[in-house]
Amino acid sequence: MDFLLLLPITLVAVWITKARQQQRRIAILARYLDGRDIEKHIETLSQGYLRALGESDSTRSAQVWEVLRGTEDVLSRQVCKLAEDFAGVEPTATRVSKFPIWLPRSPALDRSFDMREALRIHARGICRAIERQGTSAKDRAFAILAEMLLMQHTCHWYCRSKSVASARMLASHHTSYEQVVGGVLPQTRQEYLELVS
C-alpha cells in the first residue's frame, strides 16, 4: 500500500524537476539568442534555397542566390558569436544527457556532452558550408541546410531531450535526425558524432 502512495508522489516530483530544468535551459538559451535573428535567417535561407532551386530562369536563379549570400554571411557571424558568448555559461548548466529521453541528473547516469562544445562544432560547420567552393549551388545549399537543421536539433535536445528534438525535426522539416547527420559536411559529422555518441 505504501508503494502505491509513493509512486504517484515520485512521478509528480520527477515531472516537476523535469519541467523546472527545461524552463531553466530554455531561459539560458533564449538569453543568448536574444538580439540575434538566427531562426529568422534559417527560415529565410530554407525558403530561399527552395525558390532558387525551383527557378527555371537561370538569371532569376542567380539573383536569388546572390541575395541569399548576404543572409548566409549574417547567419555565419551570428552563429559564431552565439558559440563564443555561450562558452561563458556555467559548465553545470551546459551538460546534455545522451539518453534519448529526459532523466534526472545522477552520477550513475552521467552520460552527457557539453552544449558549449556542440555550439562550437555547429558554428564551424555552418561557416565551412557557407564558405565552401567548387560544388554546385544545390550541393552547397543542401550542406548549409543540413548544418542549420543539426544545430536546431541540438538546441532542442539541450532544452528538452533527443527524442523530442528528433520528433520536432520530423514534424517541422519531414527529415529524420539520421538524414540530417548524413547531410552535414564530413568534418562536422565526425566531430559531432564523437561528441554526442
Side-chain angles (χ1 to χ4, degrees), residues 64-130:
V64 174
W65 288 118
E66 190 58 37
V67 169
L68 293 176
R69 187 68 183 167
T71 304
E72 290 170 351
D73 291 341
V74 172
L75 175 69
S76 178
R77 285 193 304 274
Q78 287 190 0
V79 169
C80 287
K81 185 68 174 141
L82 170 65
E84 181 183 311
D85 292 348
F86 199 83
V89 175
E90 177 68 32
T92 56
T94 63
R95 301 307 301 173
V96 182
S97 174
K98 292 181 181 181
F99 291 104
I101 59 170
W102 183 89
L103 293 173
R105 289 293 307 268
S106 159
L109 298 174
D110 195 19
R111 290 193 58 237
S112 61
F113 66 90
D114 192 329
M115 182 63 176
R116 295 170 301 174
E117 181 56 30
L119 284 176
R120 285 190 284 267
I121 290 169
H122 292 310
R124 287 191 302 266
I126 289 171
C127 291
R128 274 193 299 264
I130 288 172

Side-chain angles (χ1 to χ4, degrees), residues 33-48:
L33 288 171
D34 189 38
R36 296 181 173 95
D37 295 323
I38 292 173
E39 286 288 325
K40 185 181 98 176
H41 295 316
I42 289 173
E43 186 67 27
T44 299
L45 290 174
S46 299
Q47 292 175 357

Side-chain angles (χ1 to χ4, degrees), residues 10-52:
T10 303
L11 291 175
V12 168
V14 167
W15 184 82
I16 289 171
T17 302
K18 172 185 168 184
R20 284 184 179 162
Q21 181 189 12
Q22 289 177 349
Q23 289 171 346
R24 197 168 34 251
R25 286 173 177 251
I26 290 167
I28 290 169
L29 192 57
R31 186 174 345 129
Y32 286 90
L33 288 171
D34 189 38
R36 296 181 173 95
D37 295 323
I38 292 173
E39 286 288 325
K40 185 181 98 176
H41 295 316
I42 289 173
E43 186 67 27
T44 299
L45 290 174
S46 299
Q47 292 175 357
Y49 291 152
L50 290 174
R51 181 174 170 216

